[in-house]
Amino acid sequence: MAIESNMHNKKLGAKGEKAARKYLKRHGWKIIKKNYVSPFGEIDIIVRKGEVMAFVEVKTRVSDEYGTPSEAVDKRRKLRYISGANYFLRNKINDFVVRFDIIEVFEGQINHIENAFYA
């Protein structure tokens, strides 16, 4: 039972990330990396548009029983994202503004929360 639930969550998450990438592309963002793995964990999507590079956490839900999708991004996850972003940016020329966004995918709708948290 737990294995089925985990597989369902992975499929749901992958579907949400795909929808988020399509949304970002439609809004002029260039996908730099998807599912970037650092020693601190995975960053769902890294995008750039103009002078902004965003590290995007995608949260997909079919129910708000446990709160909104963005409420699942706790302090620990935020710190992992910030550490992962620093790791990704090491040895790179930083000629852009860095921000952390959350994209909620819920009931077929996308909610893009820009500057959802700060480093």
Side-chain angles (χ1 to χ4, degrees):
M1 183 85 161
I3 293 173
E4 283 181 22
S5 178
N6 192 30
M7 289 297 290
H8 173 73
N9 289 342
K10 285 187 183 287
K11 286 181 181 179
L12 182 65
K15 187 176 177 182
E17 287 178 22
K18 184 177 180 180
R21 288 191 305 270
K22 283 177 69 174
Y23 167 87
L24 289 164
K25 286 180 186 177
R26 269 196 325 269
H27 287 86
W29 291 91
K30 179 182 180 207
I31 307 292
I32 304 298
K33 286 270 187 197
K34 61 181 186 174
N35 306 110
Y36 173 73
V37 178
S38 79
F40 307 99
E42 181 181 295
I43 295 173
D44 294 331
I45 308 170
I46 302 171
V47 292
R48 182 161 182 185
K49 179 163 78 171
E51 296 179 1
V52 176
M53 179 172 286
F55 293 81
V56 183
E57 168 78 349
V58 180
K59 283 294 176 196
T60 308
R61 295 286 185 270
V62 293
S63 161
D64 61 359
E65 182 178 348
Y66 299 106
T68 66
S70 64
E71 289 174 332
V73 183
D74 60 11
K75 183 177 181 177
R76 192 177 112 243
R77 185 174 298 265
K78 290 174 185 175
L79 290 173
R80 285 182 23 208
Y81 249 68
I82 291 165
S83 297
N86 285 329
Y87 187 83
F88 177 80
L89 294 170
R90 76 191 189 292
N91 304 323
K92 289 185 174 43
I93 296 172
N94 187 346
D95 63 341
F96 41 82
V97 175
V98 173
R99 75 177 197 209
F100 298 91
D101 294 0
I102 298 173
I103 290 184
E104 298 178 313
V105 181
F106 181 67
E107 295 182 343
Q109 301 295 313
I110 290 182
N111 180 29
H112 184 182
I113 305 167
E114 298 177 359
N115 292 307
F117 57 94
Y118 300 91

